[in-house]
Amino acid sequence: MLFASCGQRQQAKSVVKDFMETYKQGDVDYLEFSDIDSTKVLSDSIINALQQQAGKNVTFQKRTSAMLLLIRAKYLLDDDTCSTTFYLDPSTMGVVACKDN
């Protein structure tokens, strides 16, 4: 079980880095990633609101499950320290929504 969790965390980190490379403006240096967790408390309306906050130029993965995985990334964007929570679809490991903390 530990190896599956570790592999899933590595895959989530990779998905987040690819997503950030596509949509963040500026140089990103990653400081840390949280452990991966899951949630079922995000309704479709909350996900839609988070997607709209991200902007029109951001493309998100379609949600296919009531459960979502989440991982938090702490990073430097240019000279600012930032933290974002990413919600991923467990079957496709694509970013469904994100929230700046």
Side-chain angles (χ1 to χ4, degrees), residues 4-89:
S5 175
C6 186
Q8 196 174 38
R9 182 174 185 252
Q10 288 299 95
Q11 186 177 4
K13 284 172 55 175
S14 177
V15 167
V16 165
K17 287 179 179 181
D18 290 345
F19 183 84
M20 293 282 285
E21 187 175 302
T22 303
Y23 296 109
K24 287 293 180 187
Q25 304 292 322
D27 293 326
V28 177
D29 291 316
Y30 296 95
L31 302 174
E32 64 185 25
F33 284 89
S34 70
D35 288 334
I36 200 164
D37 203 352
S38 62
T39 183
K40 290 185 177 182
V41 298
L42 291 180
S43 66
D44 289 339
S45 60
I46 292 173
I47 289 174
N48 288 336
L50 291 173
Q51 290 173 343
Q52 288 177 357
Q53 284 179 345
K56 294 178 182 176
N57 296 329
V58 180
T59 304
F60 290 100
Q61 178 71 40
K62 184 176 170 93
R63 180 184 196 170
T64 62
S65 171
M67 182 188 76
L68 296 173
L69 301 177
L70 65 97
I71 189 167
R72 288 179 193 86
K74 186 175 180 182
Y75 54 94
L76 292 174
L77 180 60
D78 296 325
D79 291 331
D80 295 327
T81 302
C82 305
S83 177
T84 303
T85 302
F86 295 90
Y87 299 95
L88 300 109
D89 186 273

